[in-house]
Amino acid sequence: MSSKVQPDHVKLVIDGQDVSVEPGRTLLDAATAAGIRIPTLCHLDGLPEAAACRMCVVDVDGRWLPACATEAVDGMHVVTKTPEIETHRRTVVELLFAEGNHVCAFCVSNGHCELQDLACEVGLHSVRVPYSFRRDRIDASHPGFLVDRDRCVLCGRCVRVCAEVEGAHTWAFANRGTDARVITDLWETWDDAESCTSCGKCVESCPTGAIVCKGVSNAEMVKDAELPGELVARRNRG
Ligand code: SF4
Ligand code: SF4
């Protein structure tokens, strides 16, 4: 992949900049290669795209499309940031905060959280809609890890890394809409989930303080979100 124009590459314009990428790459790949940042939340290098969070929507010739799941095509004109798109992104983050219980000062992921970083990036100063004040079940049955579903943003990174990289298929989604939750082995408690290999990939992949290690205190949970991508690359290299 290159931002230099090459004959067999797809050529498009992103934010007024000529960009050239290998065929089959996404708009997110193309923008990243050109040094243009598009905010993401459910995307994680090495995992199949879910296009779930809608943070990465961009304007493609007048249509809004998720950059992570849209293939770059010759002649596209892409705008990654407009006042309307910025408002949309801020609203997405605002609703995620209102839906969960995100009291960052008391969170083990404080200072190391992608949701918190996004809130800063989009300029979220307050939440204007009522909080849902969810009281969901914390599952701390696993000896090493715990899941606090009130901090889950339903990005599905844990589900995908568990299935696609570890091959365990422990994590899945249950229910729909506001009742949607991540679950282990069809609602078994985590410690009773026999498919779990305790590899910890869900911990590293989770962008928030929803899946964390036990024994860490406020702001101590630092994750390595590069890890799943590295594991995929290593596996593909054989
Ligand atoms: S998960 Fe992130 S956004 Fe939510 S309380 Fe923890 S640090 Fe804050
Ligand atoms: S537990 Fe974490 S990784 Fe899994 S869906 Fe929720 S926020 Fe995403």
Side-chain angles (χ1 to χ4, degrees):
M1 186 161 36
S2 164
S3 58
K4 289 195 187 128
V5 177
Q6 296 188 25
D8 58 336
H9 278 32
V10 170
K11 298 164 198 72
L12 64 163
V13 177
I14 305 180
D15 291 347
Q17 190 174 323
D18 288 328
V19 178
S20 154
V21 282
E22 295 157 7
R25 296 292 188 153
T26 65
L27 293 179
L28 182 61
D29 291 333
T32 305
I36 298 166
R37 171 166 166 78
I38 298 175
T40 59
L41 186 58
C42 68
H43 167 84
L44 188 61
D45 282 343
L47 297 184
E49 302 296 352
C53 70
R54 258 39 194 183
M55 281 301 294
C56 71
V57 287
V58 290
D59 185 304
V60 182
D61 298 309
R63 290 175 66 204
W64 284 18
L65 296 170
C68 71
T70 304
E71 190 174 327
V73 173
D74 252 334
M76 275 179 167
H77 284 83
V78 181
V79 181
T80 65
K81 206 189 253 193
T82 65
E84 292 79 16
I85 287 175
E86 287 180 285
T87 300
H88 158 81
R89 289 180 181 145
R90 196 164 49 246
T91 304
V92 169
V93 177
E94 188 173 352
L95 293 175
L96 289 172
F97 267 82
E99 189 177 43
N101 289 343
H102 296 282
V103 186
C104 301
F106 297 98
C107 181
V108 292
S109 288
N110 188 14
H112 315 284
C113 170
E114 291 181 42
L115 181 63
Q116 191 182 44
D117 291 345
L118 281 174
C120 296
E121 183 175 348
V122 302
L124 184 71
H125 299 298
S126 60
V127 173
R128 296 161 299 169
V129 294
Y131 282 85
S132 67
F133 292 118
R134 240 162 54 176
R135 288 286 179 275
D136 232 322
R137 206 176 55 160
I138 293 177
D139 183 348
S141 62
H142 189 284
F145 317 128
L146 68 81
V147 57
D148 178 351
R149 295 183 173 88
D150 288 335
R151 290 176 178 151
C152 172
V153 292
L154 297 171
C155 67
R157 282 162 47 160
C158 57
V159 176
R160 283 174 283 149
V161 78
C162 185
E164 306 293 335
V165 182
E166 182 63 6
H169 297 268
T170 303
W171 290 99
F173 287 113
N175 305 331
R176 285 173 179 269
T178 54
D179 292 329
R181 300 290 183 269
V182 287
I183 58 169
T184 46
D185 275 9
L186 303 177
W187 275 124
E188 293 289 349
T189 54
W190 196 346
D191 198 30
D192 284 333
E194 291 184 0
S195 66
C196 176
T197 63
S198 299
C199 69
K201 293 185 181 71
C202 54
V203 180
E204 302 295 349
S205 305
C206 178
T208 72
I211 304 183
V212 296
C213 293
K214 281 181 165 176
V216 289
S217 186
N218 279 15
E220 287 184 351
M221 185 69 230
V222 182
K223 302 183 182 184
D224 183 359
E226 303 283 312
L227 186 64
E230 279 175 23
L231 289 168
V232 171
R234 215 178 300 151
R235 185 185 63 191
N236 290 344
R237 284 196 299 268

